[in-house]
């Protein structure tokens, strides 16, 4: 058995302790909200940190089941996330692949322009004027999707991954008579699942968590996404509708504590991403590494 040097052992211990500390401070805020969403009123305002559930009260979740604004927000967010992720991956992949070809006309110029937009942007006001005054996309889902179709960072990550595909595979396909379009769809895309999943997850999380563009471009509350509804409840204290749901469920608006309701809504809004992530995590490591070290 190989002996571990003292220095290596100390490093491993310190590194493990630091990682455990990071894990705890990362997970605890969500864990705390989960505990509070089940807590009885007497535990909601306790001063000490709560590490385990001391009660199991489902009243807040009963209210959420009858709170239609949450489900409208869910539907809007799911539609946005699905459409935005699909189109974002499509545009990003089709923009990245030509940049891997040295004989592509204007390759260096386009690469520079994409890099330039990653370092400098017009800012909020030009973007707002473009969406509302030029494209007239106020109260349209496209105002939420179009600005994020292709981000420079995602393009470079995907481009670098495409560069890791051996040239011999493409050369063999060309000998068999395949063109660039067929090579891209039947060879490059199937081999690029790790980076597609990685970038797709980044895009999906971005759409799922977005609320500011809802505030800018959507004036109709029925078009708001889940995070915007959550913001209105937590930040702007627009709680009339949810207390109507409490009243219709339990007969009294004070039957469920406000903090318990807010915690339950936070849990419900985050849960889908937490469920999806473990199934995609195995692809992410390879996608990030190969997309970051090449080219």
């Amino acid at each position: 058995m190989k002996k571990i040097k003292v220095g290596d052992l100390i490093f491993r211990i310190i590194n493990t302790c630091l990682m455990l500390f990071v894990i705890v401070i990362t997970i605890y805020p969500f864990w705390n909200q989960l505990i509070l969403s089940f807590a009885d009123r007497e535990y909601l305002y306790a001063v000490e940190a709560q590490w385990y559930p001391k009660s199991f009260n489902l009243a807040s979740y009963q209210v959420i089941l009858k709170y239609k604004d949450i489900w409208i927000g869910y539907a809007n967010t799911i539609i946005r996330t699905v459409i935005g992720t699909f189109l974002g991956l499509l545009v990003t992949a089709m923009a990245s692949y030509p940049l891997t070809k040295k004989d592509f006309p204007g390759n260096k110029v386009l690469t520079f322009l994409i890099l330039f937009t990653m370092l400098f942007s017009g800012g909020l006001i030009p973007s707002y004027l473009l969406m509302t005054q030029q494209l007239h996309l106020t109260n349209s889902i496209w105002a939420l999707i179009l600005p994020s179709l292709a981000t420079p960072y995602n393009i470079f990550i995907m481009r670098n991954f495409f560069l890791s595909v051996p040239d011999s595979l493409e050369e063999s396909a060309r000998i068999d008579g395949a063109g660039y379009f067929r090579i891209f769809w039947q060879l490059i895309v199937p081999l690029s699942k790790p980076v597609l999943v990685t970038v797709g997850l980044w895009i999906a999380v971005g759409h799922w968590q977005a609320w500011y563009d809802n505030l800018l471009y959507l004036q109709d509350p029925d078009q708001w996404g889940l995070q915007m509804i959550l913001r209105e409840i937590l930040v702007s204290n627009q709680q009339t509708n949810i207390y109507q749901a409490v009243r219709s469920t339990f007969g009294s608006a004070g039957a469920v504590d406000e903090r318990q309701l807010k915690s339950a809504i936070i849990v419900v809004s985050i849960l889908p991403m937490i469920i999806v992530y473990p199934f995609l995590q195995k692809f992410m490591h390879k996608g990030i590494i190969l997309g970051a070290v090449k080219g």
Side-chain angles (χ1 to χ4, degrees):
M1 185 176 179
K2 186 178 180 180
K3 291 184 178 180
I4 301 175
K5 295 181 180 179
V6 176
D8 291 340
L9 180 61
I10 294 174
F11 172 79
R12 291 185 183 183
I13 293 173
I14 295 175
N15 190 47
T16 301
C17 292
L18 285 174
M19 289 301 101
L20 288 174
F21 175 72
V22 171
I23 289 172
V24 170
I25 63 174
T26 302
I27 294 178
Y28 180 75
F30 174 75
W31 177 245
N32 183 61
Q33 293 301 314
L34 182 63
I35 291 174
L36 293 179
S37 70
F38 293 112
D40 289 330
R41 199 182 300 269
E42 59 187 289
Y43 300 115
L44 287 171
Y45 299 95
V47 177
E48 72 277 2
Q50 299 188 45
W51 298 97
Y52 60 91
K54 298 180 180 179
S55 61
F56 194 71
N57 188 335
L58 293 173
S60 57
Y61 292 96
Q62 291 178 260
V63 173
I64 289 174
L65 288 174
K66 292 189 177 182
Y67 184 36
K68 68 175 184 176
D69 289 2
I70 287 289
W71 303 111
I72 292 174
Y74 249 115
N76 292 335
T77 300
I78 290 172
I79 292 171
R80 172 187 177 169
T81 301
V82 171
I83 296 175
T85 303
F86 173 76
L87 292 179
L89 276 178
L90 179 66
V91 173
T92 301
M94 295 187 71
S96 304
Y97 180 61
L99 298 179
T100 65
K101 307 303 171 189
K102 295 181 180 179
D103 57 347
F104 180 69
N107 187 321
K108 292 184 179 179
V109 175
L110 288 174
T111 301
F112 170 76
L113 291 175
I114 293 171
L115 177 62
F116 184 85
T117 61
M118 187 164 66
L119 301 175
F120 306 97
S121 67
L124 175 60
I125 294 176
S127 299
Y128 179 79
L129 293 176
L130 175 66
M131 290 292 121
T132 58
Q133 303 299 321
Q134 301 297 320
L135 299 179
H136 304 288
L137 292 177
T138 303
N139 283 330
S140 171
I141 190 175
W142 297 110
L144 314 179
I145 292 175
L146 290 180
S148 59
L149 276 184
T151 61
Y153 182 78
N154 290 344
I155 288 175
F156 281 117
I157 288 291
M158 199 168 290
R159 166 188 172 271
N160 292 344
F161 188 95
F162 290 162
L163 286 171
S164 69
V165 178
D167 293 335
S168 57
L169 293 177
E170 292 195 46
E171 291 171 0
S172 299
R174 287 197 199 95
I175 292 173
D176 292 335
Y180 282 123
F181 193 77
R182 187 174 181 183
I183 291 173
F184 174 72
W185 285 109
Q186 296 187 3
L187 181 64
I188 301 299
V189 170
L191 292 174
S192 303
K193 288 181 181 179
V195 76
L196 291 173
V197 170
T198 301
V199 173
L201 184 60
W202 291 344
I203 296 172
V205 170
H207 282 298
W208 188 271
Q209 299 291 358
W211 64 269
Y212 191 56
D213 50 5
N214 285 242
L215 182 65
L216 290 176
Y217 304 122
L218 301 182
Q219 299 172 356
D220 183 2
D222 288 338
Q223 293 181 307
W224 285 350
L226 185 61
Q227 302 303 327
M228 183 62 185
I229 293 173
L230 182 63
R231 176 189 178 276
E232 289 297 292
I233 294 172
L234 298 182
V235 179
S236 301
N237 289 319
Q238 301 295 325
Q239 301 167 1
T240 303
N241 291 340
I242 195 167
Y243 281 124
Q244 289 177 354
V246 175
R247 191 178 295 108
S248 66
T249 304
F250 297 102
S252 171
V256 182
D257 190 90
E258 175 184 340
R259 189 171 185 184
Q260 184 187 16
L261 275 173
K262 289 181 177 181
S263 297
I265 294 172
I266 291 172
V267 171
V268 168
S269 69
I270 298 174
L271 200 57
M273 285 294 113
I274 293 179
I275 293 174
V276 169
Y277 180 81
F279 296 99
L280 303 179
Q281 191 272 339
K282 63 180 180 180
F283 295 100
M284 291 190 64
H285 178 74
K286 184 178 179 182
I288 293 173
I289 295 298
L290 290 179
V293 301
K294 182 81 175 180

